[in-house]
Amino acid sequence: MGEVVNTSNQILLFAMFALSLNLLMGYAGQASLAHAAFGAVGGYTAAVLGVNHGWGFVPAVLVAIVVTGLVGALVSVPALRLPEQYLILLTIAVAFIVSSLTQSISQLGGQYGLQSPGAITIFGHDFITPEQILPLFIAIGVVVFVLCWRMGESAFGRVLRSLREDDAATRALGKNTVRFKVVVFGATSAIAGLAGALFVYYYQQVSPGQWTVQVAISMIAMVVLGGIGNLIGSVIGAIVIVSSTPILEKWVDLGASKATFARLMIYGVALILLMMFRPEGMLKERHSRHELRGIRTEPAGRIAIAAASDGDGDEATVDAATPAPAYSGRSVSIAPAEVAQVAATAGVRQPSPGVTRGSPDVTAVRPSGAIALEVRGMRKHFGGIKAVNGVDLDLPEHEVTALIGPNGAGKSTLFGLFTGFIAKDAGTVELHGRSVDRLSPDAVARRGMVRSFQDVRLFTRLTVLENVLVGVPHQAGESLLNLFVRPLAVRRSDRETRDEALRHLETVGMLDKAGVMAADLAHGEQKLVAIARVLATGADLLLLDEPTSGIDPAWVDRIADTIRRLPELGKTVCIVEHNLAFLERLQVPCYFLEAGAVRRKGSLRDLMADDELRHAYFGV
Amino acid sequence: MTDFLQQFVIGIVFGSRIGLIGVSFALIIGVTQRFHVAYTATYVGGVYAGYWAYNDIGLPMGLSVVIGLLFAGVFGALIEATVYRRIAARAARRGTDQLIPIFIAALGVTILVQNLISWIWNTQPLAFDVIPLSPITWGDIYLTNLDVLTVIASWVAVIALAAFLRYTRLGSSVGAVRVNADMARVVGVNPARIFVLVFFVGSVMSAVLGMLEANGTGADPSMGLTPVFYGFVVAFVAGLDRSPIRMAVVGLVIGLVQSLSALWISIQYGPAVVFTILLVYLILLPTNFRRIVAIRRRGAVTVA
């Protein structure tokens, strides 16, 4: 019986480590070998306070939590703007340093560590025997689980998972991923510090041998075995792995040291096999399909979603109960004449007058006067390659403007330069008259200029709805403080965020796919979701990088239709595009770029009537 | 002055050692993009295989050393060919990240090998006396014949590798795969084979280092963590794409700094000094970031 209680206590301690490590590794995708080392930081802090300074249990543990959280956040800072392998490198370094310092510093007791930090006493109540401690640990374990659950299954956790999938794409949506990483590193380290301190009080001693890299690997094994990104899985992982020790010792009768070796060998084999055959672990990641539940349970099976316009109260009714695509009523029916025109423009290779026939004048697009984005003297050289060499550009407000030109003309590079993803050599960018030159990509996005990517870059292991949810700005649930202090505000914000995201999915006609994993979408559908994601940011200037490349003609119509409506929603749009038939349909002014410079500006018809430009583009 | 010279000599020996660790480590990571923490496993595995051949089978010492080195090389190549390659191919198929799954599997290999060795030989350090130690004194400066051998062996290995990469056809294939595996495939280089070769060579070097260490302080199942720490620091501070000689020089400098720091602060803080160098470097890094070749995140290398 005593053995069962003891094992249960150990399980609870390691479950705390595994839960917090899962938040860091499973949700945020930051692998760490330092989790045991952070346990040591908490454990040694509590022990030093208890043994050398006579502190009581509660204050010692609280200080241990704070110290470990700060150490964790500090360690993460230098590596955060670097590729993630530097963070792994730093965690390995931390594991090594903590192990070598605890072994060699005599004030920490060297190899033997420190003994007897004092009894676990809370408000005069003593917890001495394992049986007395068990209820306490259960209570603390439940609190830790709830904390981790709240962090993981919230808007905060959603951003963590999106940055795990694609850090740059998350920043492009206006999320300060550095802040999220520091916060999650600090929070999970703090929990490891708590568990470490409890561990030390439970065993009444702390020593370097408790916190070796092998222990860190065991914690990783719990997370991986249970399921990456699944908190219940981490608890199961802790149960399986901790209870394997007494099972091997008692039932298989290996003896203590051989049992330890056998157990660790089993973890090793399990880790290898899991990564080879089932990297997601036993339990799969949860996906917030519950956000869709509200729709399905509406009495009539229909919900009303406010149309995405300037608050004129217009309502579009969407049938959500049937999987019939909401966009079906909107899909463009292509008139035969239009088909002919598309065919003619697509076949622009033959220098035929058909290009111009029947297309209305570009000036038919409403002029609006104001300039949304003003670019002057933009220059970027990569080594000897002049990717962008002195570009001046104006994007008129509430209009669609296109950048065209041959491959390598510098079009996509321009988007990177505007949004701060690429550092420019020279030039200025003003968004609504304010410079954005010195802002980070996420700050530019929050200022109202958001880009999409040529290679789409959806968060593949998130659902369509989750992808769009990440785009929505100002979510109360993205702040840990709000999550724990203002739950009602978070709830309201979550509901508003959901409605907002659904509305944008409806705009692009993807509402019926809301619960589908992004990885399972057709390429054209992914492009539409990417547009919805960009719309969700609420930015008024959208830079769309090849929205139709590599997709089916049927989808091209849908996308053209969507983009054409954007100015009515108050958006200014700039697209990079190679599909001339598509541009012809949009009827937008174009900048023709070649070799990093603007050659000419005008309607597509005018540009393509210019033999020289046509030659530059098509080589004919 | 004597203290300084003594620490300087220690620093040269230590720096040469971690230079070669960095070189072999960066050879593997830089070319294959695998986050190969299981470097520890070949480092220790080679030592114990040599020990087994000598002690348990009774083969001559020289032959046992060769067996240990070959074992490490083949073992490293097998990890690549059976485990990493499969994980990378799976990740590429699903469009997910290969970095973390490979890192975790490498941890699995590490913990498996360490405990298999502990199971067989227990955790007590074993004497591994390939060459009997004898002191060399030079004025007041003290070192051993093993120290001299360490320096010579490290630099010979570094220069041999540099020459191989630079002057042989196979070596330039390695370079081609490092720069762009897909392009290399187009010109007829098989990246899968190059990966296996690189793992073999890097793992043999790891075993050389393991044996040199074991010869001095005995073999111990957990001796692999420290070299991985220094290997990472040297490889990342020098830059993964740098030539072996430059990398070894960076290792030498870091070794000297750690050793000479003992003149001012207690020797037990030596690793902390190196850690501080790493932190400062990482903080300053973004300014010259473009020079550093990072591990490519997504299935850029799809060797299957």
Side-chain angles (χ1 to χ4, degrees):
Chain A
M1 186 57 202
E3 187 65 29
V4 172
V5 171
N6 184 31
T7 305
S8 304
N9 281 325
Q10 286 182 34
I11 287 173
L12 286 161
L13 288 171
F14 275 100
M16 293 177 210
F17 281 114
L19 286 166
S20 50
L21 182 60
N22 198 353
L23 208 52
L24 184 65
M25 199 169 86
Y27 285 75
Q30 312 291 320
S32 168
L33 205 52
H35 219 57
F38 288 131
V41 172
Y44 271 96
T45 305
V48 166
L49 292 175
V51 176
N52 297 355
H53 301 277
W55 285 38
F57 170 76
V58 173
V61 170
L62 289 179
V63 170
I65 293 171
V66 172
V67 167
T68 317
L70 287 177
V71 170
L74 277 180
V75 162
S76 67
V77 168
L80 285 174
R81 286 192 179 273
L82 304 172
E84 66 187 304
Q85 57 266 28
Y86 285 88
L87 192 56
I88 299 182
L89 160 65
L90 264 189
T91 66
I92 292 173
V94 167
F96 175 75
I97 288 301
V98 167
S99 131
S100 69
L101 289 187
T102 49
Q103 284 179 47
S104 57
I105 295 178
S106 52
Q107 290 90 329
L108 297 179
Q111 284 291 352
Y112 302 101
L114 301 169
Q115 319 296 322
S116 312
I120 300 181
T121 309
I122 299 176
F123 302 126
H125 194 291
D126 282 352
F127 301 83
I128 308 291
T129 65
E131 284 78 6
Q132 289 169 332
I133 290 173
L134 182 60
L136 176 69
F137 278 9
I138 290 176
I140 298 176
V142 168
V143 169
V144 167
F145 185 87
V146 169
L147 287 176
C148 290
W149 184 273
R150 185 74 175 142
M151 285 191 263
E153 305 299 317
S154 64
F156 178 81
R158 194 157 52 226
V159 176
L160 295 185
R161 290 195 281 144
S162 73
L163 69 86
R164 169 192 75 194
E165 297 299 310
D166 195 326
D167 194 328
T170 309
R171 301 189 81 190
L173 297 172
K175 306 297 175 191
N176 183 349
T177 57
V178 172
R179 177 178 78 86
F180 281 92
K181 285 190 216 167
V182 173
V183 169
V184 74
F185 225 90
T188 55
S189 305
I191 295 173
L194 163 70
L198 294 178
F199 191 96
V200 166
Y201 272 95
Y202 184 66
Y203 288 101
Q204 285 295 306
Q205 62 138 335
V206 62
S207 64
Q210 295 166 331
W211 312 108
T212 59
V213 168
Q214 300 215 38
V215 176
I217 299 176
S218 306
M219 293 173 187
I220 292 176
M222 293 171 199
V223 173
V224 171
L225 179 70
I228 292 222
N230 188 309
L231 293 175
I232 295 169
S234 296
V235 177
I236 296 174
I239 292 172
V240 169
I241 284 191
V242 174
S243 57
S244 68
T245 307
I247 288 173
L248 285 172
E249 256 177 60
K250 297 279 151 50
W251 296 1
V252 187
D253 198 21
L254 282 174
S257 70
K258 289 251 168 177
T260 305
F261 301 146
R263 179 171 60 95
L264 291 164
M265 274 152 63
I266 293 169
Y267 302 166
V269 172
L271 285 178
I272 298 166
L273 293 180
L274 274 170
M275 287 301 107
M276 287 171 76
F277 300 109
R278 195 177 163 87
E280 64 272 23
M282 277 195 309
L283 302 184
K284 295 212 169 190
E285 183 167 77
R286 294 180 75 257
H287 286 285
S288 32
R289 295 209 169 82
H290 61 270
E291 268 132 349
L292 293 170
R293 223 180 287 140
I295 305 176
R296 298 216 178 86
T297 53
E298 283 289 327
R302 299 168 83 84
I303 66 158
I305 294 174
S309 55
D310 338 319
D312 57 9
D314 215 359
E315 299 215 318
T317 308
V318 182
D319 193 337
T322 57
Y327 48 79
S328 58
R330 297 176 181 279
S331 73
V332 193
S333 58
I334 305 171
E338 226 170 340
V339 175
Q341 184 207 320
V342 171
T345 40
V348 76
R349 284 173 182 291
Q350 312 116 17
S352 81
V355 185
T356 58
R357 194 190 336 117
S359 36
D361 202 282
V362 196
T363 52
V365 177
R366 283 170 297 106
S368 126
I371 298 296
L373 188 77
E374 187 181 301
V375 176
R376 291 291 175 267
M378 185 58 67
R379 192 155 56 79
K380 179 70 193 177
H381 295 180
F382 294 109
I385 299 162
K386 297 172 179 170
V388 173
N389 201 16
V391 166
D392 297 340
L393 203 81
D394 290 320
L395 298 183
E397 198 164 31
H398 303 162
E399 280 186 39
V400 180
T401 309
L403 306 182
I404 64 172
N407 283 326
K411 306 182 296 292
S412 295
T413 308
L414 274 178
F415 280 6
L417 291 168
F418 295 169
T419 49
F421 273 97
I422 304 175
K424 49 187 161 284
D425 294 342
T428 58
V429 181
E430 285 187 3
L431 181 61
H432 301 300
R434 290 170 70 195
S435 168
V436 295
D437 288 332
R438 304 189 64 80
L439 299 181
S440 63
D442 46 290
V444 171
R446 289 194 294 275
R447 198 61 90 65
M449 174 160 61
V450 168
R451 69 172 296 188
S452 74
F453 294 90
Q454 192 179 338
D455 49 351
V456 199
R457 299 175 79 162
L458 290 189
F459 309 122
T460 48
R461 286 182 290 175
L462 267 60
T463 65
V464 165
L465 177 61
E466 286 169 332
N467 265 276
V468 182
L469 286 170
V470 173
V472 179
H474 312 303
Q475 298 182 41
E478 286 178 2
S479 139
L480 286 194
L481 192 68
N482 286 340
L483 280 180
F484 296 111
V485 180
R486 303 172 55 211
L488 292 178
V490 169
R491 212 163 140 184
R492 198 175 336 113
S493 162
D494 283 351
R495 213 175 307 127
E496 286 163 10
T497 305
R498 185 201 67 172
D499 290 347
E500 173 109 19
L502 290 171
R503 205 170 69 209
H504 293 300
L505 278 176
E506 200 242 330
T507 305
V508 299
M510 290 296 292
L511 199 54
D512 57 317
K513 301 274 187 180
V516 177
M517 298 298 287
D520 297 335
L521 292 179
H523 192 61
E525 294 174 312
Q526 292 194 8
K527 293 244 170 181
L528 284 167
V529 174
I531 292 176
R533 196 170 72 169
V534 165
L535 283 173
T537 62
D540 51 13
L541 180 55
L542 311 180
L543 307 174
L544 304 178
D545 200 345
E546 301 207 14
T548 72
S549 71
I551 69 173
D552 209 79
W555 294 106
V556 173
D557 290 336
R558 283 264 297 283
I559 291 171
D561 199 38
T562 305
I563 290 176
R564 200 150 36 187
R565 292 207 320 272
L566 292 178
E568 297 162 22
L569 304 175
K571 307 292 184 192
T572 306
V573 181
C574 181
I575 56 177
V576 163
E577 193 47 74
H578 280 294
N579 184 339
L580 296 184
F582 171 75
L583 289 175
E584 190 66 26
R585 287 199 46 172
L586 283 178
Q587 294 299 332
V588 295
C590 301
Y591 281 90
F592 190 100
L593 275 86
E594 193 196 350
V598 175
R599 284 286 301 275
R600 215 180 126 185
K601 187 191 171 192
S603 72
L604 184 64
R605 190 182 48 181
D606 294 344
L607 295 178
M608 285 301 122
D610 184 326
D611 283 342
E612 212 179 306
L613 295 188
R614 220 172 44 235
H615 183 81
Y617 202 166
F618 298 109
V620 292
Chain B
M1 193 60 195
T2 310
D3 274 357
F4 176 82
L5 286 177
Q6 179 69 58
Q7 288 306 122
F8 189 80
V9 169
I10 292 173
I12 298 275
V13 175
F14 180 65
S16 302
R17 213 161 69 78
I18 65 173
L20 181 58
I21 296 173
V23 166
S24 49
F25 207 68
L27 175 70
I28 293 174
I29 299 192
V31 174
T32 70
Q33 316 291 322
R34 316 280 203 231
F35 213 79
H36 179 56
V37 198
Y39 186 87
T40 53
T42 58
Y43 188 94
V44 186
V47 174
Y48 276 87
Y51 180 86
W52 171 79
Y54 178 68
N55 216 54
D56 298 355
I57 305 296
L59 296 176
M61 183 48 95
L63 187 58
S64 302
V65 168
V66 172
I67 285 176
L69 297 181
L70 285 179
F71 172 83
V74 171
F75 181 44
L78 275 178
I79 296 174
E80 158 61 20
T82 58
V83 178
Y84 294 165
R85 184 185 297 173
R86 210 177 249 270
I87 295 172
R90 188 190 176 99
R93 268 202 309 279
R94 304 188 167 201
T96 53
D97 198 359
Q98 64 160 13
L99 177 69
I100 291 181
I102 286 186
F103 172 66
I104 293 172
L107 291 178
V109 173
T110 302
I111 196 172
L112 171 63
V113 168
Q114 182 178 334
N115 289 285
L116 185 62
I117 291 172
S118 302
W119 176 286
I120 301 172
W121 284 284
N122 218 322
T123 51
Q124 309 309 324
L126 297 178
F128 186 83
D129 300 322
V130 178
I131 52 164
L133 294 187
S134 61
I136 299 173
T137 47
W138 182 35
D140 290 333
I141 299 161
Y142 171 90
L143 69 168
T144 66
N145 54 346
L146 182 70
D147 293 334
V148 177
L149 179 68
T150 300
V151 174
I152 293 171
S154 297
W155 287 95
V156 166
V158 166
I159 291 164
L161 179 66
F164 166 74
L165 292 177
R166 190 162 180 149
Y167 297 113
T168 68
R169 205 180 143 73
L170 201 52
S172 46
S173 298
V174 173
V177 171
R178 183 205 304 272
V179 175
N180 188 331
D182 292 325
M183 280 301 285
R185 205 192 313 265
V186 172
V187 299
V189 176
N190 181 350
R193 275 198 208 150
I194 297 294
F195 278 26
V196 169
L197 171 77
V198 159
F199 266 90
F200 180 84
V201 174
S203 303
V204 169
M205 287 181 172
S206 77
V208 170
L209 288 154
M211 288 181 179
L212 287 168
E213 187 190 335
N215 201 144
T217 56
D220 150 24
S222 65
M223 65 199 272
L225 175 65
T226 312
V228 162
F229 168 72
Y230 286 107
F232 264 122
V233 174
V234 172
F236 279 79
V237 170
L240 286 173
D241 59 339
R242 292 298 153 151
S243 80
I245 291 176
R246 191 186 161 117
M247 181 109 36
V249 170
V250 170
L252 189 63
V253 171
I254 291 176
L256 279 171
V257 170
Q258 165 161 342
S259 177
L260 292 177
S261 71
L263 295 173
W264 296 282
I265 50 180
S266 167
I267 194 151
Q268 69 215 22
Y269 295 109
V273 170
V274 172
F275 183 65
T276 311
I277 297 176
L278 176 70
L279 280 185
V280 170
Y281 176 75
L282 286 179
I283 290 164
L284 298 179
L285 181 63
T287 52
N288 61 353
F289 186 43
R290 216 167 298 288
R291 297 197 303 108
I292 306 297
V293 171
I295 294 178
R296 274 164 279 175
R297 270 204 65 184
R298 272 167 212 283
V301 183
T302 49
V303 175

